């Protein structure tokens, strides 16, 4: 028997033992305490491991604590979940041992655990649950150590992307990192789900530049790449870290960026051959120079009252937002050949530094100090009504002009959402599908993001947006990937499948429904890793990686 087989057999035995130790439903059964007893028991458990200098009582919050609401709301980015079940206990660790012992004590008492880095999970799975749970908030673990001599940095999971970019810029004006355009997204969720941004056609994803990591597993052990093994290291680079443990930090390789980059945003008139324009875009954007990223965005004007076109449909805008890793004259020359339909002119372009392009893409004033990237924007209240929903698709074959015409007509009639097309190709097509759990590589032309944002409170407003998003998603089925219809993990979407509460260890078939859409051919490998490292399925949520199915 091989070492790998022996490891898997041991994991299977562990699963069987856990099934006998806990309920027949496969769910951990919390001990019968009231809320105050749970808090005291948890606190006593932590204090048995840690010294008085840790002042654990200042890091653990329950609903009776005056700071509980502000701690919970600080990184609760989506008002859709304001009324959902709230954590019995929030832990805000300031050191790695705090995380290790919080895991051990949560398991000892028998509760489920959620891990929140920046709170941007679009289905709230990092801070809500369908059963009583504890929350570990990683926002205090945000250190960033940049080493330009080795072109690397250690970044903790609680750091936000803006802080990462700023820390790199402080050390070098010709280094950067390929990650997302939203500065307040935290490293923990972004990296563990893949991490894409406007330099992916040049450098690939964030996970393609991770060379080491630290994770606390279900036993409370702190592991690095060597001690966790290549299987787990592979899994937490795109497979969703929260299924396997609590990722403390990642070591990343920096990339070199030019001193001057160019950005531009060009809007197109819907009445001027728009279907032909988009049709041409989908051939150019994925195949042009790897230095160029051109995102296509469909949206309605941001006015208090949408104007109606002559045909009775709502007017809307189509824009291209782009980053070119080079000078303006070069990109104008490039697109005059590759995409003359765009009509790009020198005056449409703005040259700037890479860090200024981060500000520009993040809808910030690029002429302001980069210190604005350190603003976490965490001042939120329970009455905040900013809500969001996302869905995603991948296009593998060009959509016909006729098909695009039908899509544009459909978009024009929908007031409640927008759509974004992000081109692939370039380096994304060169990296093997199996190099990380993220499978959307060669063969994908572009990704579609369905964007639903609304500020009105109440079920009526939510239902209006959800209905239009889901109808548009259904309408798009003939034009996107099939068997399975694929999706991007970091645009979390419970509509495509989820685990039922109480299924426990018999959840493989449910997990496969959404797992194949997120991970395609990499799903079963993720399941094997999960079974080996967390056979008791302690780290779980409605869309976590399941363990292998077992029969008693």
């Amino acid at each position: 028997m091989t070492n790998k087989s022996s490891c898997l057999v041991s994991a299977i035995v562990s699963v069987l033992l856990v099934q006998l130790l806990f309920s027949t439903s496969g769910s951990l059964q919390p001990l019968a305490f009231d809320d105050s007893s749970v808090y005291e028991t948890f606190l006593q458990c932590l204090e048995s491991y840690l010294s008085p200098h840790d002042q654990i009582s200042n890091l653990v919050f329950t609903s009776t604590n005056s700071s509980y609401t502000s701690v919970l709301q600080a990184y609760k980015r989506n008002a859709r979940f304001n009324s959902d079940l709230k954590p019995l206990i929030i832990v805000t660790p300031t050191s790695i041992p705090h995380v290790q012992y919080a895991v051990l004590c949560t398991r000892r008492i028998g509760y489920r655990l959620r891990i929140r880095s920046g709170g941007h999970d679009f289905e709230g799975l990092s801070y809500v649950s369908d059963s009583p749970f504890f929350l570990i908030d990683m926002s205090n673990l945000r250190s960033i150590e940049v080493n330009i001599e080795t072109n690397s940095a250690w970044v903790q999971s609680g750091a936000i992307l803006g802080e990462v970019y700023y820390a790199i810029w402080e050390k070098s004006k010709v280094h950067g990192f390929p990650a997302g355009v939203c500065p307040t997204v935290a490293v923990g969720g972004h990296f563990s789900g893949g991490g894409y941004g406007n330099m992916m056609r040049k450098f690939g994803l964030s996970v393609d530049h991770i060379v080491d990591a630290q994770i606390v597993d279900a036993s409370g052990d702190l592991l690095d790449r060597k001690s966790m093994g290549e299987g787990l290291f592979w899994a937490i680079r795109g497979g969703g870290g929260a299924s396997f443990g609590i990722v403390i930090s990642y070591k990343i390789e920096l990339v070199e960026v030019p001193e001057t980059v160019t950005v531009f945003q060009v809007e197109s008139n819907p009445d001027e051959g728009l279907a032909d324009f988009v049709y041409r875009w989908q051939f150019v954007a994925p195949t042009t120079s790897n230095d160029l990223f051109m995102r296509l965005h469909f949206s309605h004007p941001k006015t208090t009252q949408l104007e109606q076109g002559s045909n009775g449909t709502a007017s809307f805008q189509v824009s291209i937002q782009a980053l070119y890793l080079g000078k303006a004259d070069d990109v104008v020359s490039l697109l005059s050949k590759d995409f003359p339909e765009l009509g790009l002119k020198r005056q449409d372009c703005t040259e700037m530094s890479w860090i200024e392009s981060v500000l520009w893409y993040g809808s910030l004033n690029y002429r302001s100090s980069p210190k604005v990237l350190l603003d976490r924007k965490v001042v939120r209240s329970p009455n905040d009504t900013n809500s969001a929903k996302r869905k995603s698709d991948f296009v593998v074959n060009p959509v016909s002009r006729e098909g695009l015409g039908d899509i544009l007509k459909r978009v024009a009639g929908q007031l409640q959402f927008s759509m974004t097309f992000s081109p692939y190709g370039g380096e994304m097509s060169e990296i093997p599908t199996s190099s990380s759990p993220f499978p959307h590589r060669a063969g994908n032309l572009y990704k579609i993001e369905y964007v639903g944002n609304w500020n009105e409170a109440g079920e009526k407003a939510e239902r209006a947006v959800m209905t239009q998003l889901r109808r548009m998603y259904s309408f798009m089925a003939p034009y996107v990937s099939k068997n399975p219809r694929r999706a991007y993990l970091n645009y979390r979407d419970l509509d495509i499948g989820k685990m039922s509460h109480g299924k426990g260890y018999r959840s493989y078939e449910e997990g496969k429904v959404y797992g194949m859409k997120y991970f395609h051919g990499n799903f079963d490998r993720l399941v094997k890793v999960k079974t080996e490292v967390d056979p008791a399925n302690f780290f779980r949520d409605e869309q976590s990686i399941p363990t292998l199915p077992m029969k008693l």
Side-chain angles (χ1 to χ4, degrees), residues 142 144 158-168 183 373-374 376:
R142 60 174 83 168
I144 304 167
I160 60 174
L161 296 182
E163 292 167 343
V164 176
Y165 299 147
Y166 182 83
I168 296 171
L373 294 170
L374 305 180
R376 289 180 157 248

Side-chain angles (χ1 to χ4, degrees), residues 278-286 395 397-400 404 445-446:
V278 178
Y279 180 78
R280 182 60 183 155
W281 172 90
Q282 68 181 339
F283 284 94
V284 175
V395 174
N397 295 307
V399 180
S400 67
L404 287 170
L445 296 177
Y446 52 95

Side-chain angles (χ1 to χ4, degrees), residues 7 49 59 82 99 205 382 407 492 516:
C7 187
Y49 289 111
L59 307 175
N82 279 351
V99 178
L205 305 174
I407 291 170
R492 180 88 67 180
M516 290 296 290

Side-chain angles (χ1 to χ4, degrees), residues 2-15:
T2 64
N3 290 337
K4 185 175 181 180
S5 299
S6 298
C7 187
L8 189 55
V9 168
S10 298
I12 292 172
V13 172
S14 298
V15 171

Side-chain angles (χ1 to χ4, degrees), residues 517-542:
K517 296 171 184 176
Y518 286 137
F519 307 112
H520 201 233
N522 292 327
F523 173 68
D524 280 333
R525 183 177 173 185
L526 286 168
V527 172
K528 290 178 181 178
V529 174
K530 169 72 171 180
T531 306
E532 291 170 3
V533 304
D534 184 21
N537 208 14
F538 175 66
F539 293 107
R540 56 176 292 204
D541 57 45
E542 288 78 0

Side-chain angles (χ1 to χ4, degrees), residues 274-399:
L274 192 53
D276 289 338
F277 178 81
V278 178
Y279 180 78
R280 182 60 183 155
W281 172 90
Q282 68 181 339
F283 284 94
V284 175
T287 61
T288 190
S289 168
N290 293 6
D291 291 323
L292 178 60
F293 179 83
M294 292 192 296
R295 170 180 282 176
L296 191 69
H297 189 61
F298 302 83
S299 64
H300 292 283
K302 293 181 180 180
T303 57
T304 54
Q305 184 175 1
L306 292 171
E307 298 179 357
Q308 298 292 314
S310 59
N311 60 359
T313 61
S315 63
F316 68 102
Q317 296 173 339
V318 176
S319 61
I320 286 181
Q321 190 178 54
L323 170 69
Y324 179 70
L325 299 174
K327 296 187 175 181
D329 288 341
D330 294 335
V331 70
V332 171
S333 176
L334 172 70
L335 290 178
S336 68
K337 301 171 185 176
D338 286 1
F339 198 10
E341 296 87 347
L342 181 62
L344 184 69
K345 299 178 176 60
R346 177 60 180 83
Q347 57 264 34
D348 298 322
C349 304
T350 303
E351 292 184 340
M352 58 183 63
S353 66
W354 175 75
I355 196 67
E356 288 174 330
S357 76
V358 170
L359 298 174
W360 185 85
Y361 248 97
S363 300
L364 301 169
N365 181 358
Y366 72 90
R367 294 185 178 89
S368 63
S369 168
K371 283 188 176 181
V372 71
L373 294 170
L374 305 180
D375 183 1
R376 289 180 157 248
K377 299 178 176 64
V378 296
V379 181
R380 304 177 73 86
S381 75
N383 298 321
D384 194 325
T385 59
N386 292 313
S387 300
K389 168 70 177 178
R390 296 292 187 273
K391 300 179 78 67
S392 60
D393 264 319
F394 288 87
V395 174
V396 296
N397 295 307
V399 180

